[in-house]
Amino acid sequence: MFGETLRNIEKKGPVVHNITNYVTVNDCANIVIAAKASPIMSDDAGEVEEITAICGALNINIGTLNANTVPSMFAAGKKSNELGHPVVLDPVGAGASKLRTETAKGLIEKVKFSVIRGNMSEIKVLATGIGAARGVDVSKDDVVDADGLGAAVRFAADFSKKTGAVIAITGATDIVASGEKAYIIKNGHPMMANITGSGCMLSAMTAAYIAANPDNILEAAAAAVCAMGICGERAVKRMTERDGNSSYRNYLIDEVYNLTPEILDSESKFEIMYFDK
Amino acid sequence: MFGETLRNIEKKGPVVHNITNYVTVNDCANIVIAAKASPIMSDDAGEVEEITAICGALNINIGTLNANTVPSMFAAGKKSNELGHPVVLDPVGAGASKLRTETAKGLIEKVKFSVIRGNMSEIKVLATGIGAARGVDVSKDDVVDADGLGAAVRFAADFSKKTGAVIAITGATDIVASGEKAYIIKNGHPMMANITGSGCMLSAMTAAYIAANPDNILEAAAAAVCAMGICGERAVKRMTERDGNSSYRNYLIDEVYNLTPEILDSESKFEIMYFDK
Amino acid sequence: MFGETLRNIEKKGPVVHNITNYVTVNDCANIVIAAKASPIMSDDAGEVEEITAICGALNINIGTLNANTVPSMFAAGKKSNELGHPVVLDPVGAGASKLRTETAKGLIEKVKFSVIRGNMSEIKVLATGIGAARGVDVSKDDVVDADGLGAAVRFAADFSKKTGAVIAITGATDIVASGEKAYIIKNGHPMMANITGSGCMLSAMTAAYIAANPDNILEAAAAAVCAMGICGERAVKRMTERDGNSSYRNYLIDEVYNLTPEILDSESKFEIMYFDK
């Protein structure tokens, strides 16, 4: 099922516009290429509208946001909306500062996002105004365990209804939800938390998946999350005793490069939940 | 022949000033070190003239340009010209936005470049004002095939005459041309297009080559292009089944690190073409 | 002895705020994670005070400083001082431009640093106003040899007394000194100079060490320097014939990831020197 979404990237080779942080930008560019799409990074107000116009999707990531790039995020988001391009928001560190929280909230108000992807702390802050952000990592209180899963899925679906965006909450278990349907994804590996940028890379890759599957945003976003998780698992198997997080990062991107539609279909682990309208 | 240009870098250990994008900047720094030179990255208008004054060459790369860095590019370029330092321009994404096209054109007007290196789409936009940029990658219509090679070489030589810069158009076949003489280079591997930054890295490395060979810009630029291509070929040979583009990037820089003047001499594949004056 | 400082990071998992350059920022983030702490990168004046308030230490690195980030460095530094958080300064390229020298000097005047870490050229410029900076690398005249070691240690101790900060001067031999006591550290490998960012990474890692050991800054800083040196040595042993500086960078971070308190205790090589008060 998900294999088809990757086949569409291979077929169309979409260009993805990224307004993203300078910490993980190189990894984001390489993973977009690994996912068979083309990245372009651009964040100056003088060009973002033009750049986004020639792309198939936009990925807005607020890590290392600044006074110059925030207006570019709004401008590019609005332009993408006008053109009907799918847009991803990665609210990195929402809750850690007013600037991040308000920028993310403002963006959600002014821009129609196709997908909002973050950890539970970030999404909670945006949905409820309350949150216990611990930098850019998920707060311990917000980790979703088996008992809390049902409530977390319902929470994601409600926030999806409110925003009109597919909500992807990633962690040990990943939730990808629209208002009517949710994917509960069991792929992934704890090692993914030991590198910087696994979230950022997933958001950039999600933009590639939805760019090539614009009429099927929920499935495309779920496919991207499964793809990342599968590659995270496969990359761990490649590690030798001397390897650490830096080699793991390379292996992870390598696995995305080598991922096929067949692997994506056969190794995806998820359940689907439907909601009453 | 080209081995000598690398020997000169080893001998002189030039410092290369880079005003470059934040996507591939780390790779650019590491490849400059791998090429036996020293990188310094600096883009604030408050220091670029001083920084460039203590360097042996300047590399201006307009990827992720912004309102703050554009004036720095002009200031550093002019200062380098005053001091007689060689300067490289990498017009990343020229044609993709007015800001990029006009910045690149303005730089060519105000700064005397030693080398301008880009893909055919970027160089075409600068030379003719017309182009079909597809983000930061070459447009399909602009790929140079065997039939079009003669015209492409002539085009590069004409643009060299107009600008006074050596023109390096890189792709499946690379062209490095002055108004009188051109190198047509067959080194390289398609895998190089599967990482972000192979162009940026080449431009930074070209700055290292011309910094150490300022009286021999055409040969030094051609040597850098051959060096990159040779390393691209050798890096592919090192790949195992599980490797993808991230490991390839590491191998590519590793090969530059291990490149010797002897390898550069023996594995360079090029033809030379002379033009009537 | 130093093993305990690493155990404290594992126990406390501090968050480290980095205002750092975009060249080596990804490596800094990954090495902070490898050292069992959490990084957050943030440099906008609109949020740095809030961000630093939720962190356990601040690392200010002036590489690629600009007009927007310099005020953020002052604001975050002052806020950290108010809150009693330890702060590291990495004066990258001090001496290479007035902007860098004056920013570093101004920071030392207005912010109380716990640790100042640089190469001898950078520290000399800050301590004496005189220096022969050669870009971001140490000047040949400033390399500390066996004959000059005693004087260099005394110089570091004097600058420590003047600034109130532990002074870490890293090179072939590393010096970590307070006004009363100095560690002369023999760990490390020349290969560390063949990658960009070994200094930046050490500064970020030092912030992690002192965040978890705030009552023991001198030992924690010396432990960080030993840790980096040990990992630099171990990473070299992993290199194969085809590896170069890019693979080495990965191995170095991997070794930090795999470093245990036991290895840190058993492989640290240092002498201690005491000064009369």
Side-chain angles (χ1 to χ4, degrees), chain A residues 13 25-26 30 33-34 38-44 47 50 54 68 234 238 250 253-255 257-258, chain B residues 22-23 27 66-68 97-100 134 136-137 191 194-196 242-247 249-250:
Chain A
V25 59
N26 184 269
N30 274 323
I33 297 172
S38 293
I40 181 163
M41 274 61 184
S42 149
D43 63 17
D44 192 74
E47 69 164 9
E50 270 176 281
I54 58 168
N68 294 320
R234 294 172 76 97
R238 197 175 152 191
N250 291 314
I253 300 172
D254 283 355
E255 291 297 333
Y257 185 84
N258 288 316
Chain B
Y22 58 77
V23 186
D27 293 334
N66 65 51
N68 293 320
S97 75
K98 273 194 208 87
L99 180 64
R100 296 192 186 214
R134 183 178 168 282
V136 293
D137 299 321
M191 189 67 202
N194 289 332
I195 56 169
T196 188
R242 298 295 290 272
D243 285 332
N245 59 337
S246 193
S247 289
R249 181 259 312 268
N250 291 314

Side-chain angles (χ1 to χ4, degrees), chain B residues 165-226:
Chain B
V166 164
I167 304 301
I169 300 172
T170 53
T173 300
D174 306 310
I175 299 163
V176 181
S178 71
E180 287 84 42
K181 186 177 170 184
Y183 288 83
I184 295 141
I185 297 171
K186 299 284 171 62
N187 292 106
H189 192 280
M191 189 67 202
M192 296 167 81
N194 289 332
I195 56 169
T196 188
S198 51
C200 301
M201 286 191 266
L202 173 52
S203 294
M205 193 160 90
T206 299
Y209 273 76
I210 65 176
N213 299 279
D215 301 326
N216 207 6
I217 300 289
L218 177 66
E219 270 67 32
V225 172
C226 282

Side-chain angles (χ1 to χ4, degrees), chain C:
Chain C
M1 184 173 99
F2 287 156
E4 196 58 26
T5 60
L6 177 53
R7 248 174 235 118
N8 285 333
I9 309 181
E10 290 170 0
K11 214 178 297 168
K12 300 179 184 175
V15 184
V16 177
H17 177 198
N18 294 273
I19 302 181
T20 190
N21 68 74
Y22 56 77
V23 186
T24 64
V25 60
N26 184 269
D27 293 334
C28 288
N30 273 323
I31 212 160
V32 166
I33 298 172
K36 327 298 178 214
S38 293
I40 183 163
M41 275 61 184
S42 150
D43 62 17
D44 191 74
E47 68 163 9
V48 288
E49 290 167 292
E50 269 176 283
I51 293 290
T52 225
I54 58 168
C55 292
L58 170 64
N59 172 39
I60 298 178
N61 174 308
I62 67 165
T64 70
L65 82 182
N66 65 51
N68 293 321
T69 55
V70 169
S72 302
M73 294 174 184
F74 281 88
K78 285 176 191 171
K79 186 70 181 177
S80 282
N81 280 177
E82 272 173 47
L83 298 169
H85 295 179
V87 190
V88 175
L89 174 65
D90 187 333
V92 179
S97 76
K98 273 194 207 85
L99 180 65
R100 295 193 188 215
T101 307
E102 279 165 22
T103 299
K105 285 187 173 174
L107 283 166
I108 291 171
E109 208 174 292
K110 302 285 188 193
V111 177
K112 199 207 154 312
F113 286 98
S114 312
V115 180
I116 301 172
R117 192 219 62 79
N119 64 42
M120 183 53 103
S121 298
E122 291 158 348
I123 302 296
K124 243 188 192 170
V125 164
L126 300 180
T128 68
I130 303 160
R134 184 179 167 282
V136 294
D137 298 323
V138 69
S139 167
K140 268 183 201 167
D141 300 341
D142 293 331
V143 170
V144 178
D145 57 16
D147 290 347
L149 185 59
V153 174
R154 177 64 67 177
F155 161 76
D158 287 347
F159 192 45
S160 175
K161 274 183 190 158
K162 205 166 128 190
T163 57
V166 165
I167 304 300
I169 301 172
T170 53
T173 299
D174 306 311
I175 298 163
V176 181
S178 72
E180 288 83 42
K181 186 176 171 184
Y183 288 83
I184 295 140
I185 297 170
K186 298 284 170 62
N187 292 106
H189 192 280
M191 188 67 201
M192 295 166 80
N194 290 332
I195 56 168
T196 188
S198 50
C200 302
M201 283 190 268
L202 173 51
S203 294
M205 194 159 88
T206 299
Y209 272 77
I210 65 175
N213 300 277
D215 300 327
N216 208 6
I217 300 289
L218 178 65
E219 270 66 32
V225 171
C226 282
M228 193 70 177
I230 290 168
C231 293
E233 296 164 17
R234 293 171 77 95
V236 165
K237 290 189 191 133
R238 196 174 153 192
M239 288 180 82
T240 64
E241 208 186 334
R242 298 295 291 271
D243 284 332
N245 59 339
S246 193
S247 289
Y248 180 72
R249 181 260 310 269
N250 291 314
Y251 298 160
L252 178 62
I253 299 173
D254 283 355
E255 292 296 335
V256 172
Y257 184 85
N258 288 317
L259 186 71
T260 61
E262 292 70 30
I263 297 172
L264 181 50
D265 272 333
S266 67
E267 300 190 12
S268 288
K269 281 179 279 187
F270 59 86
E271 290 167 42
I272 298 178
M273 197 180 286
Y274 292 91
F275 306 109
D276 303 329
K277 301 228 172 163

